[in-house]
Amino acid sequence: AQRVTQPEKLLSVFKGAPVELKCNYSYSGSPELFWYVQYSRQRLQLLLRHISRESIKGFTADLNKGETSFHLKKPFAQEEDSAMYYCALNGSGNTGKLIFGQGTTLQVKP
Amino acid sequence: NAGVTQTPKFQVLKTGQSMTLQCAQDMNHEYMSWYRQDPGMGLRLIHYSVGAGITDQGEVPNGYNVSRSTTEDFPLRLLSAAPSQTSVYFCASKIQGASYGYTFGSGTRLTVV
């Protein structure tokens, strides 16, 4: 079964501190993993796809198949990074079925 | 492109009423999905579709129906609203291919009293 776990409901850091939002997944095949961000009362926006290995707004995420993790990192948090972050898994086989974690609220304090 | 458009933005229903949440996309995306967002539960998949005429159930399909008669539209029907269906509903679409992400609509905030 596909499952995504984000163990932290809330992560609070000070501006300029490093950030790591944790994501673990359960899937027997080759997963496609994503990070989405939702700013206050707005629609979800795609932040990162693991396949593209890109850095968006200073965030990066590396897929670790051994640890079944896809943690989101940023070396220096900014106040505008405060938002809800969701990790999501699309299993292989092109089903279109995207499963989300419970989400982590990132609060960056001045 | 307007992207993914959801209507209405807000709705209050009485228990037992039925209604349809509308979702339309103008990007010619094959895949469309409906999610509900509840505090502490994240986003849960209700129904999804990989093309016109093809739909399937997600994690929480009970109490909801969908149909996909065209590529553009994917309406979600609440058959007999219950307070447990109070939530924010998001529609999303994407092109075919597992590595592509979904584009989301702005959501419908539904309250069932």
Side-chain angles (χ1 to χ4, degrees):
Chain A
Q2 294 176 224
R3 183 177 297 165
V4 177
T5 302
Q6 294 177 250
E8 302 145 326
K9 284 189 177 180
L10 172 67
L11 182 63
S12 185
V13 301
F14 285 101
K15 177 183 173 181
V19 170
E20 183 178 55
L21 299 168
K22 291 183 167 42
C23 172
N24 291 92
Y25 68 89
S26 173
Y27 185 67
S28 57
S30 295
E32 297 288 346
L33 287 151
F34 305 84
W35 277 99
Y36 283 82
V37 60
Q38 185 181 31
Y39 300 101
S40 180
R41 293 193 169 236
Q42 294 186 21
R43 70 183 71 196
L44 276 82
Q45 304 171 37
L46 179 63
L47 183 61
L48 285 176
R49 301 181 295 160
H50 95 266
I51 195 169
S52 60
R53 301 186 65 82
E54 58 201 341
S55 173
I56 304 292
K57 299 184 179 183
F59 284 98
T60 59
D62 289 317
L63 176 61
N64 186 323
K65 290 188 176 181
E67 296 183 358
T68 60
S69 69
F70 187 56
H71 302 328
L72 184 68
K73 300 177 183 179
K74 185 170 183 177
F76 307 104
Q78 303 298 315
E79 289 183 67
E80 56 265 30
D81 296 329
S82 295
M84 176 73 86
Y85 291 81
Y86 288 100
C87 182
L89 165 69
N90 189 357
S92 59
N94 213 14
T95 66
K97 189 175 178 181
L98 186 67
I99 300 299
F100 284 83
Q102 301 92 326
T104 298
T105 298
L106 174 63
Q107 183 183 73
V108 182
K109 296 178 284 190
Chain B
N1 286 350
V4 180
T5 302
Q6 291 184 238
T7 55
K9 292 192 182 303
F10 301 94
Q11 183 71 49
V12 179
L13 286 180
K14 293 183 178 179
T15 297
Q17 286 185 317
S18 62
M19 80 159 293
T20 299
L21 307 185
Q22 301 292 344
C23 176
Q25 52 93 7
D26 61 357
M27 299 171 284
N28 204 31
H29 286 173
E30 295 94 341
Y31 291 4
M32 297 186 75
S33 293
W34 275 103
Y35 290 86
R36 59 177 290 173
Q37 183 182 40
D38 302 289
M41 306 290 285
L43 279 90
R44 292 181 291 169
L45 181 63
I46 304 172
H47 287 284
Y48 63 105
S49 168
V50 298
I54 305 169
T55 64
D56 205 347
Q57 296 181 349
E59 304 167 83
V60 288
N62 292 341
Y64 307 96
N65 273 358
V66 292
S67 60
R68 184 97 181 271
S69 56
T70 67
T71 299
E72 294 78 19
D73 299 299
F74 191 42
L76 178 71
R77 279 182 287 277
L78 279 70
L79 308 173
S80 177
S84 61
Q85 294 179 304
T86 293
S87 186
V88 181
Y89 291 85
F90 286 100
C91 179
S93 72
K94 78 179 191 80
I95 63 174
Q96 187 177 8
S99 62
Y100 294 98
Y102 272 94
T103 299
F104 279 78
S106 58
T108 295
R109 189 172 293 271
L110 176 69
T111 301
V112 182
V113 297

